[in-house]
Amino acid sequence: MQKRTLGKNGLEVSAIGLGCMGMSFGYGPASDKREMTALIRQAVERGVTFFDTAEVYGPFTNEELVGEALAPFKGKVSIATKFGFRIENGKQAGTDSRPEHIRQVAEASLKRLKVEVIDLLYQHRVDPKVPIEDVAGTVKDLIREGKVKYFGLSEAGVQTIRRAHAVQPVTTVQNEYSLWWRQPEGELLPALEELGIGLVTFSPLGRGFLAGRFDANSQFGSSDIRSTLPRFTPEALQANQALTALVGEFAKRKGTTPARIALAWLLARKPWIVPIPGTRKLERLEENLGTAELELGPEDILAIDSAVAKITLLGGRYPEEVEKTTGL
Ligand SMILES: NC(=O)c1ccc[n+]([C@@H]2O[C@H](COP(=O)([O-])OP(=O)(O)OC[C@H]3O[C@@H](n4cnc5c(N)ncnc54)[C@H](OP(=O)(O)O)[C@@H]3O)[C@@H](O)[C@H]2O)c1
């Protein structure tokens, strides 16, 4: 597996990481812990050195799973986790990036992840009540104390990133970015390029949509976040088939799969982009990791981009009130 470098201070990770959220949270009931432990270890065997989790996934259970699964590989892989929510009665209850809370969460994450240092610590969502300088300053202190190696922000706007970066260099930003969510191309990508900050792209497969898995008849249970997302209503899934058809067409032409086209498109955009697709299945993990061998040339990217530009997608990626909290 090829490696990529995130940020200017030398975080080197596999070109494709593994998003672990869906193993415990977000896409239906949690999967069997033993099976997921085996899957995470199979990812390591296949060259993945970058794993993504967060305090709020579960909450807590996903960090525990990742910590246990990766315990035998301490020092050989990088684990990214996130703070930034208040958790009440086992549920996310608004943002909380007060310095004392960041410290408490970092200590608890260290224990759950079974590590002495958190490789990459993100603020999960910008907290409108806490100046970003205070957040960056707290993470800076944690880095000085040897409890954290690298600092990241998730779904932060460009001004916030600049302000944070001035206090503590940001190694990577984690945002949604894919063939069906291209907003980062406006302001974010140029700013990251200018500042030398990496981009980790979450939901790079459009939560499975870009792999061609869903249509108007797809059903999502109440513990599946997709049941609440405007882009997963039957109308949106129907209308947006134009995009899956296009990706499917390119895949056929290249002798590969739609998921690999979606991931290769991201890898081709910038050498400092690292997608972190999530899966609970070995065959999909292997499919996704196989993307590293598929190279899309400039003419492929141009062809995909100009075809995608003709498609108008229906439905927001998040409900409006949630979108407002992203800080973009
Ligand atoms: N910072 C943030 O706010 C934020 C938000 C969302 C996610 N994340 C992180 O980003 C990671 C990835 O994002 P994501 O899981 O939301 O979305 P994703 O990677 O775009 O899609 C995951 C979905 O696609 C399916 N899938 C994966 N590979 C496939 C393939 N080759 N063919 C068909 N279906 C496939 C998975 O199903 P199966 O599991 O059944 O295989 C799962 O339902 C998460 O695990 C999490 O760590 C961060």
Side-chain angles (χ1 to χ4, degrees), residues 18-23 27 51-54 57 62 82 85 124-125 154-155 174-176 201-209 211-214 224 226 257 259-260 263 276-281 283-285 287-288 318:
L18 181 62
C20 298
M21 175 186 81
M23 299 176 187
Y27 297 140
F51 295 83
D52 191 77
T53 180
Y57 299 160
N62 195 245
K82 316 181 193 82
F85 291 112
H124 208 151
R125 284 292 180 277
S154 175
E155 291 279 315
Q174 181 176 132
N175 269 49
E176 182 162 1
T201 63
F202 76 73
S203 301
L205 299 172
R207 302 183 190 269
F209 178 78
R213 275 185 56 199
F214 304 121
D224 189 323
R226 291 171 290 208
T257 67
R260 284 184 178 175
L263 296 173
I276 49 165
T279 182
R280 293 164 289 189
K281 299 195 170 58
E283 69 272 17
R284 289 184 184 152
L285 174 74
E287 179 185 344
N288 298 343
Y318 286 124

Side-chain angles (χ1 to χ4, degrees), residues 260-319:
R260 284 184 178 175
I261 291 290
L263 296 173
W265 178 84
L266 279 169
L267 289 172
R269 296 205 77 84
K270 297 286 174 192
W272 39 267
I273 288 183
V274 173
I276 49 165
T279 182
R280 293 164 289 189
K281 299 195 170 58
L282 180 60
E283 69 272 17
R284 289 184 184 152
L285 174 74
E286 288 181 332
E287 179 185 344
N288 298 343
L289 298 183
T291 305
E293 276 104 62
L294 168 72
E295 257 188 49
L296 294 182
E299 67 293 345
D300 297 314
I301 297 299
L302 200 64
I304 295 175
D305 283 351
S306 49
V308 171
K310 297 191 188 103
I311 298 173
T312 306
L313 292 169
L314 185 69
R317 60 171 188 154
Y318 286 124

Side-chain angles (χ1 to χ4, degrees), residues 38 40-48 73:
I40 290 172
R41 291 178 181 170
Q42 280 157 331
V44 179
E45 281 164 24
R46 285 156 180 77
V48 176
F73 309 103

Side-chain angles (χ1 to χ4, degrees), residues 11-13 48-52 70 73 75-80 119-120 149-150:
L11 174 56
E12 197 189 56
V13 296
V48 176
T49 64
F50 190 37
F51 295 83
D52 191 77
L70 293 176
F73 309 103
K76 298 200 175 85
V77 297
S78 296
I79 305 176
D119 297 301
L120 171 59
K149 279 193 199 153
Y150 299 102

Side-chain angles (χ1 to χ4, degrees), residues 6-251:
L6 295 169
K8 279 186 176 161
N9 41 6
L11 174 56
E12 197 189 56
V13 296
S14 50
I16 298 178
L18 181 62
C20 298
M21 175 186 81
M23 299 176 187
S24 317
F25 171 85
Y27 297 140
S31 298
D32 179 76
K33 197 170 174 185
R34 262 191 315 183
E35 281 175 28
M36 294 303 102
T37 301
L39 184 67
I40 290 172
R41 291 178 181 170
Q42 280 157 331
V44 179
E45 281 164 24
R46 285 156 180 77
V48 176
T49 64
F50 190 37
F51 295 83
D52 191 77
T53 180
E55 176 202 36
V56 77
Y57 299 160
F60 314 125
T61 48
N62 195 245
E63 279 190 336
E64 286 162 4
L65 164 71
V66 170
E68 266 176 56
L70 293 176
F73 309 103
K74 218 181 272 186
K76 298 200 175 85
V77 297
S78 296
I79 305 176
T81 193
K82 316 181 193 82
F83 65 84
F85 291 112
R86 190 167 58 249
I87 293 169
E88 281 172 11
N89 303 321
K91 290 225 162 17
Q92 179 183 318
T95 51
D96 187 349
S97 280
R98 289 169 302 130
E100 62 272 30
H101 186 67
I102 297 175
R103 287 191 154 278
Q104 282 162 10
V105 176
E107 291 297 341
S109 292
L110 281 166
K111 289 207 181 77
R112 283 189 291 268
L113 293 174
K114 301 185 192 303
V115 291
E116 288 75 45
V117 54
I118 297 170
D119 297 301
L120 171 59
L121 184 63
Y122 293 102
Q123 182 192 43
H124 208 151
R125 284 292 180 277
V126 173
D127 185 341
K129 297 183 294 305
V130 182
I132 198 66
E133 287 78 5
D134 294 357
V135 174
T138 307
V139 177
K140 191 184 186 87
D141 290 344
L142 289 167
I143 291 173
R144 264 201 217 115
E145 291 161 28
K147 292 180 174 172
V148 171
K149 279 193 199 153
Y150 299 102
F151 176 36
L153 296 170
S154 175
E155 291 279 315
V158 166
Q159 292 319 315
T160 307
I161 295 167
R162 287 185 187 281
R163 284 167 52 199
H165 194 64
V167 176
Q168 166 60 41
V170 176
T171 294
T172 185
V173 163
Q174 181 176 132
N175 269 49
E176 182 162 1
Y177 181 38
S178 71
L179 274 168
W180 87 336
W181 181 253
R182 298 183 62 176
Q183 199 207 36
E185 288 170 9
E187 284 191 348
L188 184 72
L189 293 194
L192 297 184
E193 187 138 57
E194 176 202 325
L195 299 169
I197 297 174
L199 177 65
V200 170
T201 63
F202 76 73
S203 301
L205 299 172
R207 302 183 190 269
F209 178 78
L210 290 169
R213 275 185 56 199
F214 304 121
D215 61 24
N217 299 317
S218 301
Q219 306 274 327
F220 304 99
S222 59
S223 59
D224 189 323
I225 188 184
R226 291 171 290 208
S227 65
T228 69
L229 303 180
R231 282 209 177 159
F232 285 90
T233 61
E235 302 73 47
L237 287 169
Q238 182 57 44
N240 296 339
Q241 288 304 310
L243 180 56
T244 40
L246 189 148
V247 176
E249 194 49 49
F250 270 96

